[in-house]
Amino acid sequence: MPAFNGKILSYLPNLCVPQALLRTVLAAEFLAIILALTVASDLSDFFVKLGLHSLFVQWVALASTFTLCLIGRVIVNPEIARATSIVLGVVALFTLLASVLGLVLAGGQGDLLDKLAASGLFIIKNLVIALVIALVLLRYFYIHNQWEATVESDSAAKYDALQARMRPHFLFNSLNTIAHLVHKEPKRAEDALLDLADIMRLTLDKRSRISLREELELTLAYLRMEGLRLGERRLHVKLDMDRNSLPMDMDIPPFLLQPLVENAVYHGIQPRQDGGLLTVSLYDAGGRLDVAVTNPLPPAGVSTHSKGNHIAQENLVNRLRLAYGDRANLKIQKNANTQQYRVSFSIPKE
């Protein structure tokens, strides 16, 4: 059975969270103000009418919301026509009950049946207003849901396009390295082929999310491949992390860490004749995951393909924005005193 999400209609928001209740109260009060303004004759009458309309509208809105939340626990993913009928039926029921209760509390002479007959127009008017508003809201939520689906689809297409722009030079360099090792060190060549296969498998993977563990394994496989190409004396790697405390099962977009490491190797380590130290840092910061990659600055006067570096970083910024919006950020720090270049980002844990 699908997990409960507080929705009796697929395009409705989750009605069982505090945010939904707050929005319901505010929307109902706004409606009560409008209704009071339409019937009030003066300021004092406005406040009297506002109190009566607020009591009526808030009761119907909150009672309907709570009831639909409970129904959503029992009826999971009904057909749209059935779910719409349930929503309208619940709203009509509580509107009818509130109307009858209002008539009873209003008092007056005569039998209850006589009061209902005399006030039939009052009840019908309330039902019509409530159902029209419910239909308008359902239509709004449906259009909003379609818009979100379109935006998500467009974002996914843009995300795939950005991911497809990863530099292809790594594949050719890796194949050349493996070909060089086949006869001299066949065991290392075999391990390198397995690492390359793992990298290509994730590269061709169509999932929009992978675990942090997979991303880290991909990055380490990449560093092993580059270690073979550059030599252990040139590429020194330091892993600044506690794997036991990291949320390894956390889902993240693929290729967030590996491109940063690739940039660090390509623009920071490779131009230096003696190589340098590359530090990969991951920290669990409570509700967020902090990631940083630090590498030495290239020697002065050495071409570092700064344009390519800028494009790669802009690519990562766009991918973070598509995946997390304003909840993610990327920072670049260049320290001339320590000759260190640091790129870091922070993403929410989801």
Side-chain angles (χ1 to χ4, degrees), residues 121-331:
L121 181 61
F122 171 75
I123 296 175
I124 293 174
K125 180 183 70 173
N126 290 341
L127 285 173
V128 170
I129 292 175
L131 291 177
V132 168
I133 292 175
L135 285 171
V136 170
L137 287 175
L138 289 177
R139 179 62 177 171
Y140 164 77
F141 287 129
Y142 176 77
I143 294 175
H144 187 267
N145 180 263
Q146 294 294 104
W147 175 79
E148 284 187 336
T150 302
V151 171
E152 183 178 352
S153 176
D154 183 58
S155 297
K158 292 179 180 178
Y159 184 88
D160 292 339
L162 289 169
Q163 183 169 319
R165 292 171 57 186
M166 298 294 180
R167 287 195 304 267
H169 77 276
F170 167 72
L171 175 61
F172 302 113
N173 289 340
S174 299
L175 291 175
N176 288 333
T177 301
I178 293 171
H180 181 72
L181 291 173
V182 165
H183 298 293
K184 294 183 178 181
E185 299 179 78
K187 181 61 173 65
R188 295 185 72 182
E190 180 183 353
D191 293 339
L193 274 174
L194 292 176
D195 282 338
L196 182 60
D198 289 338
I199 294 171
M200 297 309 299
R201 175 177 57 82
L202 280 176
T203 301
L204 299 175
D205 199 324
K206 295 300 183 181
R207 286 178 296 168
S208 61
R209 290 288 193 275
I210 64 174
S211 67
L212 177 61
R213 179 180 290 104
E214 290 177 285
E215 179 71 18
L216 186 57
E217 290 174 354
L218 166 70
T219 303
L220 295 180
Y222 168 80
L223 286 172
R224 287 193 294 268
M225 292 296 302
E226 290 295 70
L228 291 176
R229 182 175 69 89
L230 297 174
E232 296 178 354
R233 293 183 179 180
R234 293 185 64 195
L235 178 58
H236 304 277
V237 178
K238 176 183 177 182
L239 300 179
D240 181 18
M241 64 186 73
D242 181 4
R243 297 199 186 193
N244 293 327
S245 65
L246 287 175
M248 288 297 186
D249 294 329
M250 169 184 172
D251 288 336
I252 63 173
F255 292 96
L256 287 186
L257 176 59
Q258 188 274 336
L260 286 185
V261 171
E262 183 175 353
N263 269 353
V265 171
Y266 191 66
H267 300 289
I269 305 297
Q270 183 172 292
R272 300 174 64 91
Q273 187 173 359
D274 56 348
L277 174 66
L278 188 154
T279 303
V280 180
S281 304
L282 279 84
Y283 301 103
D284 185 346
R288 305 183 69 81
L289 178 71
D290 294 337
V291 180
V293 175
T294 307
N295 59 270
L297 291 171
V302 176
S303 174
T304 60
H305 309 279
S306 58
K307 182 178 180 181
N309 188 28
H310 175 74
I311 292 175
Q313 290 172 357
E314 184 178 339
N315 185 342
L316 184 57
V317 168
N318 290 333
R319 296 174 69 236
L320 285 171
R321 184 181 298 113
L322 287 172
Y324 298 104
D326 295 334
R327 297 176 297 160
N329 59 75
L330 185 138
K331 298 180 181 178

